[in-house]
Amino acid sequence: FSEPSNRAANRGTGISGGSSADEQNNIEVYKAASPAVVNITSTIIQYDFFSNAVPSQGTGSGFLIDDKGDIVTNFHVISGARSAEVTLSDHTRYPAKLIGRDSVSDLAVLRIDAKKPLPFLKLGSSDDLQVGQKVLAIGNPFGFEGTLTTGIISSMGRNIRDENGNMLEDVVQTDAAINPGNSG
């Protein structure tokens, strides 16, 4: 069997596990950020053919923005939900309350009461982003937890319509794989 070329090329370079510097950066960012990424399960009520109420669940991702339990997600993750539950990276679950939303920007803020300090991410600024910069997306697609995808910033200032026809303006476009459940 032959050894993958990046491992062979990095042998003796001191890079952990034979990873390239770029791979090692991905690993470090993932280890630092993933504890603050949460899974959100929302429950909506739909009606069947006979007008019977049928609960239906959806999932998405979000991230803690402070150690008190405030979480940013996409509005469409919780839109129309009767209730939402947040699962932390340590698998503890908490009911969540909606404390703010902006459907036009597709953003929402949820709050959980964990009664313990929580890992969180600091919000950054998109002012200096440039096409071609590397991006990493951590989320919970397809019900899996803690996945990482990478890509680049493909374009800046895009205007797109959401599923309700609302215009989302000045959006950052990326080619990182964003699958169902990554939203948030």
Side-chain angles (χ1 to χ4, degrees):
F1 296 107
S2 63
E3 203 170 38
S5 61
N6 67 326
R7 291 181 191 218
N10 291 322
R11 184 176 290 128
T13 62
I15 297 174
S16 175
S19 301
S20 70
D22 187 50
E23 289 170 329
Q24 193 59 38
N25 179 68
N26 293 349
I27 292 165
E28 290 170 11
V29 168
Y30 179 81
K31 285 181 179 179
S34 63
V37 176
V38 303
N39 186 56
I40 300 167
T41 304
S42 60
T43 303
I44 62 172
I45 302 297
Q46 297 180 326
Y47 296 91
D48 66 14
F49 180 76
F50 301 104
S51 297
N52 296 315
V54 179
S56 175
Q57 291 188 327
T59 62
S61 302
F63 62 96
L64 290 149
I65 59 170
D66 60 33
D67 68 349
K68 308 276 191 278
D70 292 330
I71 298 161
V72 170
T73 189
N74 290 118
F75 176 70
H76 72 263
V77 170
I78 53 87
S79 178
R82 295 278 176 108
S83 64
E85 181 180 70
V86 169
T87 305
L88 302 180
S89 62
D90 67 4
H91 304 285
T92 56
R93 296 173 184 234
Y94 299 93
K97 291 191 319 189
L98 178 65
I99 61 167
R101 68 175 181 254
D102 182 357
S103 60
V104 174
S105 298
D106 193 25
L107 292 172
V109 178
L110 304 176
R111 181 172 291 153
I112 61 171
D113 185 15
K115 299 188 186 331
K116 65 180 181 181
L118 299 168
F120 65 95
L121 299 174
K122 290 176 22 179
L123 293 177
S125 171
S126 61
D127 292 343
D128 296 322
L129 293 180
Q130 296 181 44
V131 172
Q133 283 184 301
K134 182 178 178 177
V135 295
L136 289 90
I138 301 171
N140 303 295
F142 304 118
F144 298 120
E145 66 180 67
T147 65
L148 170 70
T149 62
T150 64
I152 62 166
I153 295 173
S154 304
S155 184
M156 300 289 296
R158 291 280 193 222
N159 295 330
I160 61 172
R161 292 206 183 274
D162 69 11
E163 63 231 16
N164 297 320
N166 298 318
M167 183 65 72
L168 300 174
E169 297 179 354
D170 202 24
V171 173
V172 176
Q173 178 183 342
T174 178
D175 70 348
I178 306 298
N179 297 301
N182 258 122
S183 290

